[in-house]
Amino acid sequence: MGPGAELSRFMRDERVEPRLVELIAAVATATERIEALVRRSGLTHLIGLTGATNVQDEAVHKLDDAANRIFVDVLRASGRASLLVSEELAEPLALGGGPFALYVDPIDGSSNADVNGSIGSIFSVHASAHAGLPGPGHAQRAAGYVMYGPGTSMMITWGRELHEFVLDPDARGFLLTRAGLRLPPSGRTYAVNFGRRAYWDPGVGAFFDDLNADDPARGRPYSLRYSGSLTADLHRILLEGGIYCYPGDRKVKDGKLRLLYEACPLALLAEQGGGRASNGHERILDIVPRTVHQRVPLYIGSATEVELAEDYVQQRRRAR
Ligand code: AHM
Ligand code: MG
């Protein structure tokens, strides 16, 4: 019995295609192995940088590298994926067989690894795609993340609702904790790197001024909660409502986050829980990808806050 045994049983009961169940079981195996590395990383010299830079010109952490190798090995052995696209691989990697393509960010929030902060792995499944470029995110066959925090949670969807599994640290298996999870329609917190405010468009700044207003009658001010790990910050928002944002700005036109292995999988999770995800103008899941490592601005979370963000970004609403 592998770490995905209960998850596989649940998927089979839901009549999910057997080959997809097997692929997700492989993802559960990979992330359980990564979790074991993460837990011991402070003792095993797995924190810090490798000295290399990846295709996005970002410094590669030792954990990025180790987690990427685990995904490659486990996926190759599973025989269920023909292709792996990873934040840590410049080009899509042919794996030899299987009906699916897997898109992963092996370690999301790598900078947190050095300070014993929460990190995660994000994954997205498409039908095998020509040259690694899939259709828009609404065509994803499954998506999810595993957050390595005080506990290890997996949020997953196969396009029918949103479910949470938690890794039992003794039995080493993912156990179902919440089925059919729904996001609150609005919340009281937002997550954004406020240090970039000087680079934002006025509409983006006006949105956060609105959330920060001294206006208890409208549920303001919101609280700011930002950890530097998208999976950890989004986890709070999926459970408690609110919004996570990584806007485009004067320095980084399309923001920082990647469409195929960050924004799209998280957008599918949010929508399956009744939330929304947008680039400020367009639904994330409708964007047709142009390149495998393409970046996209991201506004994701409860429907109320994502719609309000769009109103400000598109200047339908202006500074109050
Ligand atoms: P990474 O996958 O290279 O770690 O980058 C993604 C991370 C997100 O987890 C996080 O929300 C964001 O980058 C933080 O970026 P910044 O330090 O610019 O706020
Ligand atoms: Mg990463």
Side-chain angles (χ1 to χ4, degrees), residues 16-93:
V16 176
E17 174 189 351
R19 293 178 306 179
L20 182 56
V21 176
E22 287 159 20
L23 176 66
I24 296 299
V27 170
T29 298
T31 51
E32 185 268 340
R33 284 193 200 163
I34 294 169
E35 197 263 1
L37 282 189
V38 168
R39 292 279 161 245
R40 295 190 61 77
S41 56
L43 301 169
T44 53
H45 308 293
L46 255 185
I47 54 177
L49 302 173
T50 61
T53 50
N54 66 16
V55 63
Q56 357 255 342
D57 219 18
E58 293 165 348
V60 177
H61 287 71
K62 291 177 186 168
L63 266 178
D64 290 327
D65 203 36
N68 185 61
R69 270 187 280 117
I70 289 175
F71 268 110
V72 171
D73 293 348
V74 173
L75 264 295
R76 185 175 274 135
S78 80
R80 287 290 167 258
S82 57
L83 202 79
L84 179 69
V85 169
S86 164
E87 181 182 353
E88 304 306 333
L89 297 171
E91 300 292 334
L93 178 70

Side-chain angles (χ1 to χ4, degrees), residues 54 58 64 87-88 104-110 120 258 261-262:
N54 66 16
E58 293 165 348
D64 290 327
E87 181 182 353
E88 304 306 333
V104 294
D105 180 356
I107 295 290
D108 162 69
S110 321
R258 277 55 53 123
Y261 43 82
E262 291 178 320

